[in-house]
Structure formats: C-alpha cells, structure tokens
Amino acid sequence: MKNLLKYIKPYWIFFIFSILLMLVELYADLIQPAIIADIVDIGVVNQDFNYILHRSLIMIGLAVLGMIGGFGSTVLSSYASQSFSVDLRRDLFKKVQSFSFSNIDKFKTSSLITRLTSDVTQVQNMVRITMRMMFRAVLLSIGGVLMASLLNLRVSIIFVVAIPALVVAFIWVIKKGFPIFSVVQQKLDKVNGVMRENLVGARVVKAFVRADLEKNRFKEANEGLMNSSVKGLKIVALLMPAMMLILNLSIVAVLWIGGIEYSKGTMTDGQIIAYINYLTRILMALMRVAFGLIMISRAKASVLRINEVLDTEVDIHDNPNASDSAIKKGMVAFENVTFKYSKENKEPILKDISFSVNGGETVAILGATGSGKSTLVNLISRLYDVTEGKILIDGKDIKSFKLKSLRNQIGMVLQESILFSGTIKENLLWGDENANDNEIITASQSAQADEFISNFTKGYETILGQRGVNVSGGQKQRISIARALVKKPKILILDDSTSAVDMATEAKIQEALRRKENKCTTFVIAQRISTVLDADKIIVLDKGEIVAQGTHEELLKTSEIYKDIYISQMGKEA
Ligand SMILES: Nc1ncnc2c1ncn2[C@@H]1O[C@H](COP(=O)(O)OP(=O)(O)OP(=O)(O)O)[C@@H](O)[C@H]1O
C-alpha cells in the first residue's frame, strides 16, 4: 500500500476534481427518482401537462449535467491512473536495471515481463475503478438509501435484510477470489515463459523438430491459464444471478409493503415508483461494488508481485566510501577468494582462489566445463560479489571503486555475445558513446571485424536484428570484442569470446591485442590451448580450485593436468 500511495500522490488533485465532478453526476442521479414521483403524483394524477413538461425538462437538464460530470470525472480519473501506471512501470524498469546478476537469477525473465506489463495494468485498473466506480457506487448507495428512506421509512426495512445479504456475497468474493487471481497471474507468467523461450529459441525448436512438443507445452500452459481464469469467472458468474435474485426479491418486497402503505394512504403510487427506482439504482451500484472488489482482489495479487520487485534489495551497490578512482596499471590480485551463488549451496563454486597479475599481462584460464572459469572473471567487475576473501586492482579492494567507474574501465566480452537491435555503429558505441569514427574503426580492426563490416553494403550503418540475428556467430563475437575495445579498457575480459572464430583470425586478434596501443591486462578464457600458449600466466582450474599456475613452459613441467590437456589437443609430437 505504501508503495502505491507514493505513486498516487502526484495525481491527487486530478482524483479530487474527478470526485467533485462525480458528485455532480451523483446529485443528478439521486434527484431524478424524486422528480419522477412528483410527475406521477402531481402531473399524471391531476393531468397537468404543463407540470409534466416543466419537470421533464428539468430531468433532461439534470441528465445532461450528470453526463458532463460523468465524462469529466472519467477523463480525469483515467488520466491520473494512466500517469500512475507510467510512473510505476518506469520505476519498475529502473529497478530491474539496477538488479545485480543474483537478483536477476531470482526472478525469471518472463515473470519480470508479466510484472511490468499485465500486473501494472491490473493495478492501474484497480486505481481507476476504486477512484471512480467504487467511490461513486458507495456514495450512490448511501445517498439512495437516505433518499428512499425519506420517501418512506417503513418500506426501508427491506434494506436491513438486502444489504447484509449483499455484504455476505462481497466477503465471499474477496475470500474466494484472491487466491484464484494470484494463481491466474502465475499461470500468465508460465504462458509468457514458454512463449518467450520459444520465440527466442525459434531456430533451435525448428532444428530439433521440437515444434509439436513445444506446441503441447504451450497448450498445457495456455490451458492452465484458461482453467484458473474460468475458476475466477465462475465466481463472477455465481455472483451475478445471486445479486439479481436479491434485487428482484427486494422489488417484490417494495411492492408488497408499499401496497400496504398505499392502502393505508401513507404512500402514493409516484412514491412507490420512485422507491423501486432508488432500489434498482442502489442494488446496481452495489453490484458494481462487487465487481470492483473482484478487480481489487485480482489487483491485490498484482500489487504483491510488483512490491516484490520494488522491495528487492539490490545486493551489489556502491560502498559508502567508494570513489571514482582511475585504474592506472591494471594489476589484479585475488586473495583467498571463495564464492557461492547462493547461501543454500553446500559446496562453494570457487575455493580459496589466490593469484596476482601485473598490469598489461595476459592471463589465460583453463579448465573443464563447469570448473568455474566464467564465475571467476565475473567477480572482477562485481557482477557477483565474493563470498569470502577479496579482489584487488592496483592494490585497492574493488569494493572501494564506484561500480560505474569500475565497470567503465573493464571491457567484458561475455560468453554469450548479445547485440542489440540498431546499427553496428550504435552497438559499438555502447563501449563509449563519445567515441569518434576513427576510434570505432581502430577497435574493429583489432577485433578483425573491420573487414567484414566494410564489406556490408551499408558498412557500419548495417542494421542488426534483435540479438544480432543477421550476422554469423563468429562475426557477432568479433563485434562484441570491438565493442569492448572501443571502451579502451584497462582490464579486458574475454570469456570464450573467440570460440566461433577460426584459428587464423583468432591469432590475428591475439596479436592485435598484444600491440602497444591496445595493451591492457587481459583475462582470456579459452577452450583451445593454442589460444593460451603465449599468455604471461596460465591458471588451471579444476572443480573451483586452482590446481596449477605458471607459463606454458613451467606448466608442461609441473602440471600433469595441463600436460594432458596439451597433449590431447596438440598431439604427442608437439
Ligand atoms: N547463475 C548461476 N547460478 C547458480 N549456479 C551457477 C550460475 N552460473 C553458473 N553456475 C554454476 O557454477 C559452476 C561454474 O560455472 P561457470 O560458468 O563458472 O563454469 P565454466 O568453467 O565457465 O564453464 P564453461 O566452460 O562450460 O563455460 C557450474 O557448476 C554452474 O552450474
């Protein structure tokens, strides 16, 4: 609630005016049955057509006034609720952007998408409906009961029975509805999840002829959503006839008690008509309250899901005394670093890792798949924080750098090279938005990307599809390397980033990186041993532990594991 109020606050003035206009509409609504009573009792009974005409014109005037009030009130409340949801969605997006990798690991991407779209829409509808429809319905009911009681207090005994019956129905709706609607949102997550996975992986689905299986998976998720939505709709379906029954029984009761009053001469026929009119309006208004409650119980589930995102504590942030220090030499040292992805993990993924690298050196990290290579390099730019121990750059704990400053000085080429829709140049400018054409071309030349980019008809202005679908895997990797080099980083991390590049091109990239103008401390994760032969230091990881470190020549002499990898890839003769 606290979170919601914060977003409603800037628009309270719109809500106030919306309520004022709604009061005008309400006044017009409540006064009309009383005029009808007068038309019947005075105009019709006395056959006074002038009176009927006069009162009818007043009624039309009131109807127009009510319409203007209703229109203005709807426009204002819609504007306010739309603006509310724009702000909320913007802040949710900002929050997700600030998430650390482990925060993102906790929420599924599809769930985040549902939260930012469908959940926000639910809450927006709730705000609009509560502000206008519910408020109006409640006031109309109270005003209607008062006006009807003014006509005849004895007939009003009907409300004493009808209103508690409705309240019971409402409570039932809230109690039953909330759990069902929470499930509906979860099912929607699931549908979005399957859909997203299939759209992103459409090519794999086709290649593995998984379309039919995936269709079934989608059908399951889709039907799951339908089943829980139908459960929710059943509540609505039951509520409607129950309320109509209460309405009809109440009308019969008015006619019956009103008939007795009429025969005693304490009630006129015009008053009976007006009474039924009030009763219908009141019960209709209360029905709207019931539907509003359904919306609210649905939105309550969404509010909780939105709050989960807003209240997530971002676990990686600037330390209070962090500064914008510049990395000068690029020396990197790990001191007894241990890391677990989550507290629940029994075994750490990295165990007691210690090593140091001088500025400008190239470090290669070798190890079997799953040995922790990517995890190790991800710690350097604080994509995850170490569980124990520390990492130093130029002798300073990485936590003493501001996150932005640390990451700005480290160039990362992740294992999965993801490009964004836009031109190649726009993608390269991610490295440094102020880079000039010369710098972009130089970086691309080092990454061996300039040649193929220039061969495209539109060169650097070639438009890339989402995730870079229209370039090959190796080209994507080279653009990603160029993007990191545009940054002119002090530390460069290449996480298996030349796996799709042929060996000759890979050697050229390595050579370019060793050139003086590109010289920076470089971490290379590679599967091919040929990539790492020239490294200043090779670290061999096994099950999260360093089992050997040194140069190629040293390791050939000291490490059996390294020797095995070397022989298996290069042959015995080598
Ligand atoms: N986000 C994550 N959450 C939980 N566990 C993870 C996560 N990422 C990786 N792991 C686990 O950590 C271990 C090390 O993974 P890592 O990606 O660092 O290995 P790697 O040596 O780089 O492997 P590869 O050569 O296959 O890329 C693996 O057992 C993996 O299952």
Side-chain angles (χ1 to χ4, degrees):
M1 209 46 204
K2 196 183 81 226
N3 274 336
L4 284 193
L5 286 178
K6 187 179 120 197
Y7 289 96
I8 290 174
K9 219 170 142 198
Y11 304 103
W12 66 272
I13 196 89
F14 291 94
F15 286 119
I16 299 278
F17 274 101
S18 162
I19 288 169
L20 288 178
L21 285 169
M22 189 250 297
L23 289 178
V24 172
E25 185 193 9
L26 199 66
Y27 169 76
D29 245 13
L30 283 174
I31 215 79
Q32 283 187 24
I35 300 175
I36 294 174
D38 283 349
I39 291 177
V40 175
D41 288 343
I42 302 167
V44 178
V45 170
N46 302 325
Q47 302 216 337
D48 182 346
F49 291 111
N50 273 342
Y51 185 84
I52 295 175
L53 185 67
H54 176 249
R55 289 283 142 159
S56 302
L57 286 176
I58 293 182
M59 271 189 74
I60 293 171
L62 278 172
V64 171
L65 187 71
M67 216 173 72
I68 295 171
F71 175 73
S73 164
T74 309
V75 168
L76 288 180
S77 63
S78 301
Y79 173 77
S81 63
Q82 287 287 350
S83 312
F84 156 89
S85 72
V86 165
D87 293 355
L88 181 58
R89 218 176 288 124
R90 179 201 57 209
D91 283 3
L92 275 169
F93 187 75
K94 251 200 231 163
K95 182 80 189 196
V96 174
Q97 292 287 322
S98 74
F99 272 8
S100 70
F101 273 33
S102 51
N103 289 140
I104 295 172
D105 290 346
K106 257 185 234 139
F107 293 95
K108 278 195 177 146
T109 315
S110 52
S111 172
L112 283 175
I113 295 174
T114 323
R115 285 168 207 246
L116 260 82
T117 50
S118 159
D119 284 318
V120 172
T121 310
Q122 295 293 349
V123 180
Q124 173 200 324
N125 286 340
M126 177 190 79
V127 170
R128 185 173 49 80
I129 282 168
T130 322
M131 284 297 166
R132 184 176 147 66
M133 211 170 91
M134 291 280 281
F135 206 59
R136 176 172 184 274
V138 170
L139 286 182
L140 184 70
S141 314
I142 297 172
V145 171
L146 286 177
M147 295 291 283
S149 304
L150 280 179
L151 286 175
N152 190 306
L153 201 56
R154 269 186 297 272
V155 184
S156 298
I157 192 102
I158 293 161
F159 293 123
V160 179
V161 183
I163 292 181
L166 285 170
V167 169
V168 170
F170 291 171
I171 293 174
W172 180 75
V173 164
I174 297 174
K175 281 212 150 150
K176 280 266 170 198
F178 177 63
I180 293 177
F181 291 122
S182 320
V183 175
V184 169
Q185 290 308 99
Q186 283 166 20
K187 299 275 175 185
L188 194 61
D189 263 2
K190 201 150 192 194
V191 171
N192 279 344
V194 179
M195 198 150 65
R196 186 179 176 280
E197 221 166 42
N198 269 275
L199 293 178
V200 173
R203 288 147 203 264
V204 186
V205 173
K206 283 221 181 313
F208 281 79
V209 207
R210 287 269 311 182
D212 284 339
L213 288 171
E214 288 304 305
K215 259 186 226 156
N216 279 340
R217 202 155 77 96
F218 186 74
K219 191 171 155 225
E220 238 167 64
N222 210 10
E223 283 175 0
L225 173 63
M226 184 186 81
N227 291 339
S228 44
S229 302
V230 165
K231 251 193 211 163
L233 285 176
K234 273 188 195 152
I235 294 186
V236 183
L238 270 174
L239 189 66
M240 190 74 181
M243 297 193 75
M244 283 313 282
L245 184 71
I246 296 174
L247 173 65
N248 286 325
L249 286 177
S250 306
I251 291 175
V252 172
V254 170
L255 289 171
W256 183 45
I257 306 176
I260 298 171
E261 292 288 309
Y262 182 77
S263 63
K264 282 199 281 184
T266 44
M267 204 172 180
T268 63
D269 30 15
Q271 280 175 334
I272 293 180
I273 293 172
Y275 208 101
I276 290 176
N277 206 311
Y278 277 126
L279 190 72
T280 319
R281 280 170 203 251
I282 294 164
L283 291 178
M284 285 295 179
L286 288 176
M287 265 190 221
R288 262 181 246 138
V289 173
F291 287 116
L293 286 177
I294 291 176
M295 287 287 318
I296 291 177
S297 79
R298 181 151 195 196
K300 196 177 146 201
S302 296
V303 170
L304 291 179
R305 287 158 54 85
I306 288 173
N307 278 344
E308 266 174 16
V309 178
L310 287 177
D311 294 340
T312 294
E313 218 175 292
V314 179
D315 53 2
I316 294 186
H317 36 71
D318 283 338
N319 276 11
N321 48 3
S323 64
D324 279 319
S325 334
I327 299 176
K328 293 207 175 79
K329 293 189 182 135
M331 279 159 48
V332 178
F334 274 55
E335 287 185 356
N336 309 100
V337 170
T338 294
F339 176 76
K340 282 183 183 180
Y341 276 102
S342 90
K343 288 191 192 91
E344 288 83 51
N345 285 143
K346 276 196 203 123
E347 277 288 298
I349 300 289
L350 293 176
K351 292 165 223 161
D352 200 21
I353 302 284
S354 295
F355 68 89
S356 63
V357 189
N358 289 324
E361 281 185 349
T362 299
V363 193
I365 302 170
L366 274 186
T369 163
S371 54
K373 304 180 295 289
S374 302
T375 309
L376 187 148
V377 291
N378 283 346
L379 297 179
I380 302 173
S381 47
R382 289 189 72 197
L383 297 179
Y384 293 93
D385 265 344
V386 298
T387 313
E388 281 169 39
K390 56 182 164 180
I391 300 173
L392 309 170
I393 293 181
D394 287 350
K396 278 187 281 191
D397 192 325
I398 50 171
K399 289 185 181 164
S400 70
F401 289 83
K402 280 198 172 152
L403 265 180
K404 211 172 163 183
S405 143
L406 177 74
R407 291 182 185 160
N408 267 338
Q409 299 179 78
I410 299 178
M412 271 208 102
V413 185
L414 297 171
Q415 200 167 22
E416 191 190 1
S417 32
I418 292 184
L419 301 173
F420 283 76
S421 39
T423 62
I424 292 182
K425 185 173 168 184
E426 279 164 0
N427 270 277
L428 292 175
L429 286 174
W430 273 52
D432 171 9
E433 58 190 35
N434 299 318
N436 59 33
D437 284 356
N438 236 347
E439 288 166 319
I440 288 175
I441 292 170
T442 313
S444 305
Q445 281 167 343
S446 301
Q448 306 304 307
D450 177 61
E451 197 179 322
F452 77 80
I453 296 175
S454 308
N455 280 339
F456 289 146
T457 329
K458 292 197 174 153
Y460 284 82
E461 297 303 327
T462 305
I463 294 187
L464 295 176
Q466 247 185 29
R467 298 166 77 91
V469 281
N470 48 346
V471 282
S472 76
Q475 290 172 337
K476 217 187 303 182
Q477 284 189 334
R478 282 179 276 167
I479 298 176
S480 302
I481 296 174
R483 177 175 62 185
L485 290 179
V486 168
K487 248 184 176 181
K488 300 205 185 84
K490 288 284 182 240
I491 298 171
L492 178 68
I493 297 171
L494 303 170
D495 185 352
D496 216 358
S497 9
T498 45
S499 56
V501 175
D502 61 88
M503 277 168 84
T505 313
E506 187 186 32
K508 281 190 201 157
I509 297 175
Q510 300 265 337
E511 199 187 303
L513 290 180
R514 274 194 294 270
R515 251 183 264 134
K516 205 161 162 262
E517 65 274 17
N518 285 331
K519 201 82 183 139
C520 55
T521 312
T522 309
F523 286 80
V524 188
I525 296 180
Q527 302 296 344
R528 288 199 285 251
I529 207 145
S530 56
T531 319
V532 306
L533 292 180
D534 294 328
D536 299 296
K537 181 176 266 180
I538 301 169
I539 292 174
V540 186
L541 271 187
D542 186 36
K543 298 191 189 80
E545 282 177 286
I546 296 185
V547 287
Q549 54 176 313
T551 59
H552 168 68
E553 278 73 27
E554 285 165 3
L555 289 179
L556 272 185
K557 286 183 209 137
T558 57
S559 168
E560 276 308 311
I561 295 188
Y562 184 79
K563 213 160 116 186
D564 283 350
I565 304 174
Y566 182 71
I567 293 173
S568 69
Q569 288 195 19
M570 310 293 275
K572 258 204 155 82
E573 310 77 55

Short mmCIF file of all heavy atoms in Angstrom, two decimals, residues 1 22 24 101 105 139 172 202 287 348 357 455 459 466 472 500 518 539:
data_model
loop_
_atom_site.label_atom_id
_atom_site.label_comp_id
_atom_site.label_asym_id
_atom_site.label_seq_id
_atom_site.Cartn_x
_atom_site.Cartn_y
_atom_site.Cartn_z
N MET A 1 0.84 -1.21 0.00
CA MET A 1 0.00 0.00 0.00
C MET A 1 0.87 1.26 0.00
O MET A 1 0.60 2.22 -0.72
CB MET A 1 -0.88 -0.06 1.26
CG MET A 1 -2.20 0.63 1.13
SD MET A 1 -3.03 0.25 -0.41
CE MET A 1 -4.04 1.67 -0.56
N MET A 22 -17.74 13.82 -10.08
CA MET A 22 -18.57 12.65 -9.89
C MET A 22 -19.74 12.97 -8.94
O MET A 22 -20.83 12.44 -9.10
CB MET A 22 -17.67 11.55 -9.31
CG MET A 22 -18.29 10.20 -9.24
SD MET A 22 -18.60 9.78 -7.58
CE MET A 22 -16.99 9.73 -6.89
N VAL A 24 -21.31 15.76 -8.87
CA VAL A 24 -22.32 16.42 -9.71
C VAL A 24 -23.19 15.35 -10.38
O VAL A 24 -24.42 15.42 -10.38
CB VAL A 24 -21.62 17.28 -10.79
CG1 VAL A 24 -22.63 17.81 -11.80
CG2 VAL A 24 -20.84 18.42 -10.15
N PHE A 101 23.30 -9.49 -10.90
CA PHE A 101 23.05 -10.76 -11.57
C PHE A 101 22.29 -11.71 -10.65
O PHE A 101 21.41 -12.42 -11.08
CB PHE A 101 24.38 -11.42 -11.99
CG PHE A 101 24.86 -10.97 -13.34
CD1 PHE A 101 24.62 -9.69 -13.80
CD2 PHE A 101 25.56 -11.84 -14.17
CE1 PHE A 101 25.06 -9.27 -15.04
CE2 PHE A 101 26.01 -11.44 -15.42
CZ PHE A 101 25.77 -10.15 -15.85
N ASP A 105 18.83 -13.58 -11.23
CA ASP A 105 18.72 -15.04 -11.15
C ASP A 105 17.44 -15.45 -10.40
O ASP A 105 16.84 -16.48 -10.67
CB ASP A 105 19.93 -15.66 -10.42
CG ASP A 105 21.20 -15.56 -11.28
OD1 ASP A 105 21.07 -15.26 -12.48
OD2 ASP A 105 22.30 -15.76 -10.73
N LEU A 139 -21.13 5.93 -2.63
CA LEU A 139 -21.86 7.15 -2.32
C LEU A 139 -23.30 7.08 -2.84
O LEU A 139 -24.23 7.51 -2.16
CB LEU A 139 -21.17 8.37 -2.94
CG LEU A 139 -19.89 8.83 -2.24
CD1 LEU A 139 -19.34 10.07 -2.91
CD2 LEU A 139 -20.15 9.12 -0.76
N TRP A 172 -17.58 -13.16 0.45
CA TRP A 172 -17.32 -14.43 -0.23
C TRP A 172 -16.44 -14.20 -1.48
O TRP A 172 -15.48 -14.92 -1.72
CB TRP A 172 -18.68 -15.03 -0.61
CG TRP A 172 -18.58 -16.34 -1.32
CD1 TRP A 172 -18.27 -17.55 -0.78
CD2 TRP A 172 -18.78 -16.55 -2.71
NE1 TRP A 172 -18.28 -18.50 -1.75
CE2 TRP A 172 -18.60 -17.92 -2.95
CE3 TRP A 172 -19.13 -15.73 -3.78
CZ2 TRP A 172 -18.73 -18.49 -4.21
CZ3 TRP A 172 -19.26 -16.29 -5.03
CH2 TRP A 172 -19.06 -17.65 -5.24
N ALA A 202 13.43 -19.95 -31.45
CA ALA A 202 12.65 -20.49 -32.58
C ALA A 202 13.50 -21.36 -33.51
O ALA A 202 13.06 -22.40 -33.97
CB ALA A 202 12.03 -19.35 -33.37
N MET A 287 -23.80 -3.83 -7.08
CA MET A 287 -23.24 -4.85 -7.97
C MET A 287 -21.90 -4.37 -8.50
O MET A 287 -20.94 -5.11 -8.60
CB MET A 287 -24.18 -5.09 -9.14
CG MET A 287 -25.08 -6.25 -8.90
SD MET A 287 -25.92 -6.63 -10.42
CE MET A 287 -27.53 -6.96 -9.79
N PRO A 348 31.23 -24.47 -2.20
CA PRO A 348 31.48 -23.24 -2.96
C PRO A 348 31.83 -23.55 -4.42
O PRO A 348 32.37 -24.63 -4.71
CB PRO A 348 32.67 -22.60 -2.25
CG PRO A 348 33.04 -23.48 -1.14
CD PRO A 348 32.20 -24.71 -1.15
N VAL A 357 48.33 -10.71 -10.95
CA VAL A 357 48.72 -10.44 -12.33
C VAL A 357 49.24 -9.02 -12.40
O VAL A 357 48.63 -8.11 -11.81
CB VAL A 357 47.47 -10.49 -13.25
CG1 VAL A 357 47.90 -10.43 -14.69
CG2 VAL A 357 46.61 -11.67 -12.97
N ASN A 455 32.60 -4.74 -45.78
CA ASN A 455 32.06 -5.45 -46.94
C ASN A 455 30.53 -5.44 -47.00
O ASN A 455 29.95 -5.73 -48.03
CB ASN A 455 32.56 -6.90 -46.97
CG ASN A 455 33.97 -6.95 -47.53
OD1 ASN A 455 34.40 -6.01 -48.22
ND2 ASN A 455 34.71 -8.00 -47.22
N GLY A 459 27.96 -0.94 -44.54
CA GLY A 459 29.09 -0.83 -43.64
C GLY A 459 28.68 -0.76 -42.18
O GLY A 459 27.88 -1.58 -41.71
N GLN A 466 17.27 -8.15 -33.83
CA GLN A 466 17.31 -8.39 -32.39
C GLN A 466 18.33 -9.48 -32.07
O GLN A 466 18.37 -10.50 -32.74
CB GLN A 466 15.93 -8.85 -31.94
CG GLN A 466 15.29 -7.82 -31.03
CD GLN A 466 13.97 -8.33 -30.48
OE1 GLN A 466 13.77 -9.52 -30.31
NE2 GLN A 466 13.10 -7.40 -30.21
N SER A 472 26.86 -13.70 -38.52
CA SER A 472 27.21 -15.06 -38.11
C SER A 472 27.73 -15.06 -36.67
O SER A 472 28.04 -14.01 -36.10
CB SER A 472 28.30 -15.59 -39.03
OG SER A 472 29.54 -15.01 -38.67
N ALA A 500 33.86 -19.09 -31.81
CA ALA A 500 33.27 -19.30 -33.13
C ALA A 500 34.12 -18.69 -34.24
O ALA A 500 33.70 -18.60 -35.38
CB ALA A 500 31.87 -18.69 -33.15
N ASN A 518 46.96 -1.25 -27.63
CA ASN A 518 45.83 -2.00 -27.06
C ASN A 518 46.18 -2.65 -25.73
O ASN A 518 45.36 -3.30 -25.13
CB ASN A 518 45.39 -3.12 -28.02
CG ASN A 518 44.63 -2.58 -29.19
OD1 ASN A 518 43.97 -1.54 -29.07
ND2 ASN A 518 44.73 -3.22 -30.33
N ILE A 539 46.30 -20.13 -15.70
CA ILE A 539 45.74 -20.66 -14.46
C ILE A 539 44.89 -21.86 -14.82
O ILE A 539 44.01 -21.77 -15.68
CB ILE A 539 44.90 -19.58 -13.74
CG1 ILE A 539 45.82 -18.47 -13.23
CG2 ILE A 539 44.09 -20.17 -12.59
CD1 ILE A 539 45.11 -17.30 -12.63
#
